[in-house]
């Protein structure tokens, strides 16, 4: 042992030195916690307090009976953020296993994601989930996965959703992001407003569950519910019917159907096959751009109405200054061929399969759909009268285009509805194009536009623009009518359309009617019902029609598209329905046309029967019956006719 | 006539044992404060997903409590040991720690976390050899100084070999890298040497040549050194320092209340560890920080007073080392938290979360208390021997009392 005395003084000085250091630190603390306190506290609060947007539910889209078509569904964003130095994380293998179970993703994929990031400690991944069990699992086993509430949009009816209801993005209520279809059109009503809350946030800007001092900066509100005119039950039946057409008729892709309440113009169902989501399953060889926009055949597919337009020509001929009578006899091609098929310029109009029927009544030429007869009536009416008819239906000249365009009011254009057109005036074929409107050629329209035109025939001569929205129901209980009210305009006098309907009913009941086979084989479908209808064929317009119409070598009437409109009403009165169907021809060969028309016709009649047999829905308040008060529209030469001339 | 009875006011000086008891009580008080604050600071992290899957909000606090129990057991064990026995193990202990410090640097044996290899894992247990090295080096230096401090007056024969051993241990720790611990340990070692009698001028060569060279090598070798010095110059530009100051500053005088701190909500990294003092400042305010600072000051001063009564050289130097270690480590930690020093991860003794640190500090406390209590025993033995050898001092308290009572 050392004999030196213990150096007590030096120890004391060490102690004093440490106490002096503590004294200095005390002064430093005094400065920070006393003098700098206000500034530091303010800065701390600035970073700790943040505003959070709490998403309120977007409005529900319901059908006319209140059944939900699109709802907000609670969902969550699971976000993984692992950064360096995470010493408390479970081992990488466990992490991968937990993530795989959390996200329902194979472990190999997650391991690959991590490997691509080239670090086991830096990982960021986000995914939306809807299963609360997944969220619970993440809470319990993966504390390093942040969970954020985010509503999602659930559309139980995919065909309707894809083509009409549309989609909305992750937070569709804000900024119209990723909105298409009805979600976009009705966004001003459906959109909710986020509640903005000011409160404490943690260092990752996440809400602090423990926070108690929250203040609402801006109150939010839920979106308004929208009630559509769509009837989910009718929609399902229509979709099944289209599927049945595919099964029996095997057409090319592009089948569509519309069911309208003719009295109100309300669209009860609107279906398309394929719809957007199933496009990839079809061997669709058309214009590929369709994949990028809503695909709803009745809205986005234009074609000439063909023979389905003949009733309008007859109607105008019955009401023109030099009217005809349905009992008048007209030459529809004598066997001797003295007058034979009608030559229009360089073209010859023939009946279906080139048959000649001799002198028949105008009524028969309509229900049996003789082109020669209608061409003669068209010649008699003249282009001015036909232009006036088209103008009354809705065609209007567009400056500089050489065409007349036919559009329906909102919301249809916003939903992607194509405009109907007449062929370009510059490309008119002399002698033919003047008359071709009379049998539904040299023009095109969508199925819904055709169904709209038929509202005049189905009711008392009054056109009713189709509507899709019945009412807006706000969260406070206020119910407001649709912002897209149906517009009405008279096209024909009631007695004219009554006569046309009688004639069209002969398409089923009379021998020689285009749809007589259905009546013969299924008479029970017509019991206690007033059913009439019209078929038509036309060249496929989309994607080739427009090009074909404009080509000078366009020679031959084609039968690529089959159209059908069936009107039905119970014999005891009640709602008048319009069912319009369209389907491309399976092979393009005319021998199959009969089969195609029969399949569509039977489907249409069965749909009408279904509608008539349903319990009669309660009359909607505020809907007035159409009547004579609606003035007839005579647009004359100041509209389409003038442009065409 | 008899004189009236005169009772002089007595001012008793606490014995070394009493002071040792106070040191123990202060140390335990700091441990309790630490446990409470770890519980408060870590609860959010455990629920908010700072990498812990179990989701038990008090997991870290429970672990800290368990470590405290182990530390108290170690305290009892060391407290009952004779210092002479510890003295005998000084050299083997340092050699053993040296081996551990080498092992921790061997890839595959040392556990690497955050680019530093500081941990050795033995099954479910893990510990930092650098923490153990603190006590081992102190015990070794005490052992050496108790015997050979005469040679400290010679730079060549005394200072250089001693500093060589210190440099070896601190160098191994610096290689982990754990610069803070190596600097701390070097400072404690030099403090012991100075107390033991080393000339202050012998420090100059190390201060002039060694320290700048050390800093330069470290700055070139480890990229994080320079930014930390920059952070010291502009504290608000460094995230962790800024968050620490905001925590302290927002606490004010009275604090936000226990458990009400907000900076622990993923703002202040290591809030339950090296920056727990900031959380104390935020939740308990200036009162809390002054209380902790005061407790450390009281602990140091009580320990110094106690050591002034120690006559055993080994006990004296062990106590000096432990006292300096506690005092310096606390000062550095608080200096870092208050942005008075460059950011460095050094735990606040007894308080910060960390098992090895807590056990080592409480064991050190046991050595300190042991030194104090043994001092009284030695004094009593010495006094007993003196009583038998010499008559009582005529001017002692007994003589005064006799005068006061009028008895001759």
């Amino acid at each position: 042992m050392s004999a030196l005395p213990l150096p007590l003084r030096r120890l004391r000085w060490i102690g004093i030195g440490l106490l002096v250091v503590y004294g200095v630190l005390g002064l430093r603390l005094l400065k920070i916690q006393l003098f700098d306190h206000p500034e530091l506290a303010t800065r701390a609060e600035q970073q700790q307090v943040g505003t959070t947007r709490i998403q309120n539910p977007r409005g529900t889209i319901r059908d006319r009976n209140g059944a939900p078509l699109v709802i907000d569904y609670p969902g969550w964003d699971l976000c993984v953020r692992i950064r360096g130095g995470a010493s408390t994380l479970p081992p990488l293998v466990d992490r991968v296993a937990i993530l795989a179970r959390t996200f329902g993703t194979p472990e190999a994929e997650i391991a690959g994601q991590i490997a691509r990031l080239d670090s086991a400690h830096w990982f960021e991944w986000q995914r939306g989930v809807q299963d609360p069990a997944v969220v619970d699992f993440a809470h319990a086993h993966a504390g390093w996965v942040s969970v954020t509430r985010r509503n999602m949009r659930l559309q139980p009816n995919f065909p309707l959703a894809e083509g009409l209801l549309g989609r909305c993005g992750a937070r569709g209520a804000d900024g119209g992001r990723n909105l298409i279809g009805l979600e976009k059109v009705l966004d001003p009503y459906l959109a909710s407003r986020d509640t903005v809350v000011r409160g404490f946030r943690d260092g990752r800007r996440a809400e602090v569950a423990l926070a108690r001092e929250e203040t609402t900066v801006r109150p939010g509100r839920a979106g308004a519910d929208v009630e559509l005119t769509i009837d989910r039950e009718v929609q399902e039946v229509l979709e099944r019917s289209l599927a049945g057409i595919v099964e029996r008729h095997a057409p090319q892709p592009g089948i569509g159907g519309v069911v309208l309440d003719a009295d109100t113009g309300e669209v009860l169902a609107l279906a398309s096959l394929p719809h957007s989501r199933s496009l990839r399953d079809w061997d669709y060889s058309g214009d590929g751009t369709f994949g990028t926009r809503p695909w709803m055949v009745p809205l986005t597919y234009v074609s000439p109405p063909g023979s389905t337009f003949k009733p309008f020509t007859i109607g105008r001929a019955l009401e023109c200054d030099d009217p005809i009578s349905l009992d008048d006899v007209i030459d529809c091609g004598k066997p001797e061929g003295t007058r034979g098929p009608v030559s229009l310029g360089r073209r010859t109009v023939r009946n279906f399969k080139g048959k000649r029927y001799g002198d028949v009544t105008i009524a028969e030429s309509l229900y049996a759909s003789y082109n020669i007869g209608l061409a003669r009536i068209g010649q008699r009416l003249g282009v001015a009268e036909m232009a006036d008819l088209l103008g009354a239906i809705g065609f209007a000249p567009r400056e500089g285009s050489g065409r007349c365009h036919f559009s329906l009011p909102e919301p249809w254009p916003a939903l992607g509805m194509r405009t109907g057109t007449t062929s370009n005036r510059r490309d008119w074929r002399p002698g033919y194009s003047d008359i071709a409107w009379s049998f539904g050629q040299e023009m095109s329209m969508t199925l819904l536009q055709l169904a709209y035109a038929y509202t005049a025939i189905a009711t008392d001569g009054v056109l009713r623009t189709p509507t899709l929205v019945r009412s807006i129901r706000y969260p406070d209980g206020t119910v407001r009518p649709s912002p897209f009210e149906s517009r009405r305009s008279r096209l024909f006098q009631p007695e004219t359309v009554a006569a046309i309907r009688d004639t069209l009913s002969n398409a089923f009941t009379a021998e020689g009617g285009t749809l007589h086979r259905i009546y013969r084989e299924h008479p029970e479908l017509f019991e206690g019902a007033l059913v009439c209808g019209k078929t038509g064929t036309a060249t496929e317009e989309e994607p080739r029609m427009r090009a074909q119409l404009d080509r000078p070598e366009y020679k031959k009437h084609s039968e690529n598209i089959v159209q059908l409109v069936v009107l039905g009403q119970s014999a005891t009165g009640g709602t008048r329905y319009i069912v319009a169907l369209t389907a491309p021809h399976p092979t393009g060969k005319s021998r199959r046309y009969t089969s195609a028309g029969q399949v569509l016709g039977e489907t249409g009649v069965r749909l009408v029967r279904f509608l008539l047999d349903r319990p009669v829905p309660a009359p909607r308040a505020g809907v007035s019956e159409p009547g004579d008060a609606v003035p007839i529209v005579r647009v004359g030469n100041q509209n389409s006719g003038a442009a065409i001339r | 006539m008899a004189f009236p009875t005169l009772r002089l006011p007595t001012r008793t000086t606490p014995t070394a044992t009493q002071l040792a008891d106070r040191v123990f009580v202060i140390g335990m008080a700091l441990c309790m404060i630490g446990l409470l604050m770890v519980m408060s600071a870590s609860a959010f992290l455990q629920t908010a997903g700072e990498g812990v899957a179990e989701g038990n909000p008090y997991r870290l606090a429970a672990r800290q409590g368990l470590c405290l129990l182990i530390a108290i057991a170690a305290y009892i064990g060391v407290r009952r040991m004779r210092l002479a026995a510890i003295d005998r193990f000084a050299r083997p202990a340092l050699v053993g720690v040296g081996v551990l410090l080498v092992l921790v640097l061997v890839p595959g044996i040392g556990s690497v976390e955050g680019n530093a290899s500081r941990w050795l894992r033995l099954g479910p247990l893990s510990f930092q050899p650098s923490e153990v090295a603190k006590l081992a080096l102190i015990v070794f230096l005490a052992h050496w100084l108790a015997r050979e401090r005469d040679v400290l007056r010679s730079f060549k024969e005394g200072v250089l070999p001693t500093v060589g051993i210190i440099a070896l241990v601190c160098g191994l720790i610096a290689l982990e890298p754990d610069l803070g611990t190596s600097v701390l340990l070097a400072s404690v070692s030099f403090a012991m040497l100075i107390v033991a009698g080393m000339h202050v001028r012998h420090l100059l060569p190390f201060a002039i040549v060694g320290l700048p060279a050390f800093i330069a090598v470290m700055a070139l070798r480890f990229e994080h050194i320079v930014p930390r010095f920059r952070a010291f110059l502009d504290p608000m530009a460094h995230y962790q320092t800024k968050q620490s100051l905001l925590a302290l500053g927002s606490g004010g005088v009275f604090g936000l209340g226990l458990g009400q701190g907000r900076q622990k909500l993923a703002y202040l990294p290591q809030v339950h560890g090296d920056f727990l003092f900031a959380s104390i400042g935020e939740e308990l305010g200036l009162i809390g920080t002054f209380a902790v600072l005061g407790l450390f000051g009281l602990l140091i001063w009580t320990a110094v007073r106690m050591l002034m009564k120690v006559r055993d050289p080994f006990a004296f130097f062990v106590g000096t080392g432990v006292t300096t270690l506690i005092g310096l480590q606390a000062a550095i930690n608080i200096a870092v938290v208050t942005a008075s020093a460059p950011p460095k991860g050094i735990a606040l003794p007894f308080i910060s979360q960390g098992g090895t640190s807590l056990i080592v500090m409480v064991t050190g406390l046991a050595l300190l208390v042991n030194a104090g209590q043994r001092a009284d025993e030695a004094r009593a033995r010495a006094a007993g021997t003196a009583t038998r050898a010499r008559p009582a001092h005529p001017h002692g308290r007994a003589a005064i009392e006799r005068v006061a009572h009028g008895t001759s």
Side-chain angles (χ1 to χ4, degrees), chain A residues 1-2 4-7 10 12 14 22 28 33-34 37 47-48 88-89 140 143 200-205 212, chain B residues 48-51 53 146 149-150 194-195 198 243 248-249 252-253 260 262-263 265 267 281 289 308 327 338 340:
Chain A
M1 284 287 172
S2 171
L4 289 175
L6 288 174
R10 289 195 174 201
R12 183 181 287 130
I14 289 285
Y22 285 4
R28 174 80 175 138
Q33 296 193 273
L34 191 62
H37 163 64
Q47 76 166 5
Q48 290 160 352
T88 48
L89 284 174
F200 287 106
R201 308 288 172 262
D202 70 13
R204 298 159 305 181
R205 308 314 297 160
R212 285 173 288 276
Chain B
E50 184 81 350
R149 64 192 156 99
D150 311 19
I194 288 168
V195 168
M198 186 178 94
Q243 297 303 330
L248 283 170
V253 175
Q260 302 298 313
R262 295 162 190 162
Q263 286 295 97
L265 307 179
Y267 286 105
T289 53
M308 299 289 279
T338 55
S340 309

Side-chain angles (χ1 to χ4, degrees), chain B residues 261-274:
Chain B
R262 295 162 190 162
Q263 286 295 97
K264 63 188 178 189
L265 307 179
Y267 286 105
L268 179 55
Q270 278 294 310
V271 66
H272 56 291
D274 301 340

Side-chain angles (χ1 to χ4, degrees), chain A residues 249-264:
Chain A
H249 173 51
Q252 296 293 317
I255 313 169
V258 176
V259 178
L260 277 183
D261 179 335
D263 294 320
T264 60

Side-chain angles (χ1 to χ4, degrees), chain B residues 71-136:
Chain B
I72 289 171
Y75 174 91
I76 294 168
V78 172
R79 171 68 189 77
R80 291 189 172 183
M81 284 176 75
R82 294 186 57 224
L83 281 176
I86 297 170
D87 191 10
R88 276 201 297 277
F89 282 103
R91 286 168 193 258
L94 187 66
V95 172
V97 165
V99 171
L100 292 177
L101 288 174
V102 172
L103 280 178
V104 85
L105 297 175
V106 177
I109 298 178
S111 179
V112 180
E113 284 178 13
N115 297 326
S117 178
R118 297 178 185 173
W119 295 79
L120 279 179
R121 296 195 184 280
L122 298 171
L125 302 175
S126 60
F127 68 100
Q128 293 188 60
S130 59
E131 290 290 329
V132 183
K134 290 176 183 173
L135 284 188

